[in-house]
Amino acid sequence: MERAVDQLFARWAEPNSPGAVIAVLRDGKIIYSQGYGAANLEYGVPNTPATVFHLASVSKQFTAFAIYQLAHEGKLSLDDDVRKYVPKLHDFGKPITIRQLLHHTSGVRDQWNLLALAGWRLDDEITDDDVAHLLFQQTELNFEPGDQFLYSNSGYTLLAMVVRQVSGKTLPEFTKERIFDPLGMSHTHFQDKYGMPVKDRAYSYGRQPDGKYQYIALTYSTVGPSSLFSTVGDLARWDENFYTGQVGGLTLLAEMQQKGKLNNGKDINYASGLSIGKYRGLRTVEHSGGDAAYRTNILRFPDQHFSVVILANAGDLTPAALSFRIADIYLKELLKPARDKPTLDDKPEVAVDPKILDAYVGDYELRPGFIISVSKDNDHLVTRATGQPSFPMYAVSNTAFRLRVVPAEIVFDDVAQGGAAQNAVLHQNGAILPLKRITISKPAGDRLKAYEGHYYSAELGVIYDVFVRENVLMVHYPRGELDLQPVGTDAFTTGFPIGNLKFACVDDGKCNAMSIDDGRVKRLRFDKVSLDPIGSKSSQ
């Protein structure tokens, strides 16, 4: 079994590659733990079971646990309006409860997306005050509280504020005293100042389009949704607490694993920092995380008293998928037969006549509003999906092309010379997704001119400049510039952080506003404004 597990991580088990540390837990004991690759490429430090990792969103279950502790002590109710403890948050007309924040059903816009839209880069130092300032400026929600499930890191930042307000202690202080010290988790802490040294920590490295790894900085100085550091050994202690209730008690832990519920009564598969599901007939409780190039996952099979912990510092490693692969090995006799899913077997790159590539260039619709655009750059294809950056593809046949940054392959129709492929298939994560070529009508030059102007968002406190360059509509936002690709009437798509953008225009053709929807931020309004030139009387 150990050899089979090691084989899953063979591609990262090299001294010149980042990798991961794993722990396999059964009946409260670590039955196998191993490190793969390097914790630090510059100094050649290997990953070992003692290596400390940034846990990203795996942190959320600890923030949730702190809230439940306070609730069980009668110091708050999960159905309290969060504004009772965070009064600076805008009054949206309907209360947002602590329970809705825990289950991601609050409608509060996501902080990382808001920061990026406001011109922040995620390698800037970002503090709790920075996030709070932006959250308190929001006057709209993504949806009515309780109507939908939409993952929002902001909710857990607000929960950290609640912990501080109610307990009088910061989240790092509270969790150390009430969780980590009692469980003997001596290598675990929330870090609210990014520059503080962390002994034995792993650094994160992202795989680039050319196949090489690059250091990806992480400078968060904010806690709640993220910023917990730990080891697989400490997390084994945490995992066992779900069976013993040593800290918190079994009643609290059972409540924490109850699924959230929407206003219409429908259950969701999320419960206070934990995803509740089934795998091949067995119940599962899990959560994954990803910040910079850290990738993490804790997968628990509660009825089998079996868990897998994977902490990685390689951005191209997928702990969630690998956790289930490890479960396949150890729980083989208990699992129901798996559905057959196609896999992308390793294939070498092949040379393709550049003339053949012309047949594949164009726009392909995956679903309404989500377009995969394929272009040609000399002797290879480049793909860009709605709201994402461009990535080069390499050929494995005359019709099949793959990405290096993620395990995905696009297979085009085989067409006659001089023709154009009308259909393709995207293979990713075991799914087979049909793509259909579409023709996107590009607005005429005078229409593009109607969109030009300066647009101001009071909720971000920033101005975007929309302009035409070489017959292409462009948007300049703080610290960035993107081209806008049409996807419908007055509707455009572009890369991160903007995603989808739609102009509001009146009958006479004038456009006086626009709104942005990037997935976790919806209905973000910008109004067209006039800027007086420097030196004019009205500007003085």
Side-chain angles (χ1 to χ4, degrees), residues 318 321 341-344 406-409 426-433:
T318 54
K341 287 186 176 182
T343 59
L344 298 181
V406 294
E409 178 180 278
L426 170 64
H427 297 268
Q428 188 169 3
N429 297 328
I432 303 175
L433 306 170

Side-chain angles (χ1 to χ4, degrees), residues 210-268:
D210 62 3
K212 297 178 181 179
Y213 285 101
Q214 176 180 313
Y215 168 66
I216 306 296
L218 184 67
T219 54
Y220 292 172
S221 292
T222 179
V223 296
S226 186
S227 298
L228 186 71
F229 285 77
S230 191
T231 64
V232 293
D234 274 11
L235 292 175
R237 294 173 180 268
W238 167 251
D239 181 78
E240 183 61 11
N241 191 58
F242 278 83
Y243 299 99
T244 67
Q246 174 188 341
V247 174
L250 291 176
T251 300
L252 182 156
L253 289 156
E255 291 175 2
M256 187 173 160
Q257 297 174 79
Q258 291 177 0
K259 294 180 180 181
K261 193 181 293 289
L262 299 179
N263 290 335
N264 62 10
K266 182 180 179 181
D267 285 342
I268 60 173

Side-chain angles (χ1 to χ4, degrees), residues 110-125:
D110 190 89
Q111 63 191 50
W112 305 128
N113 297 56
L114 287 171
L115 286 162
L117 287 164
W120 290 74
R121 294 175 182 150
L122 296 186
D123 53 2
D124 294 331
E125 181 183 1

Side-chain angles (χ1 to χ4, degrees), residues 354-427:
K355 293 181 180 178
I356 294 177
L357 304 182
D358 293 334
Y360 309 134
V361 172
D363 298 304
Y364 298 81
E365 186 177 62
L366 178 64
R367 59 178 182 271
F370 192 90
I371 311 298
I372 293 179
S373 298
V374 178
S375 57
K376 189 173 82 168
D377 183 7
N378 295 322
D379 59 352
H380 67 270
L381 293 178
V382 176
T383 182
R384 187 173 104 176
T386 296
Q388 299 177 20
S390 297
F391 294 110
M393 294 191 290
Y394 68 96
V396 294
S397 75
N398 277 352
T399 58
F401 300 81
R402 293 184 176 179
L403 280 75
R404 299 188 191 278
V405 290
V406 294
E409 178 180 278
I410 297 178
V411 181
F412 297 93
D413 287 347
D414 195 359
V415 296
Q417 186 174 2
Q422 298 302 308
N423 299 283
V425 175
L426 170 64
H427 297 268

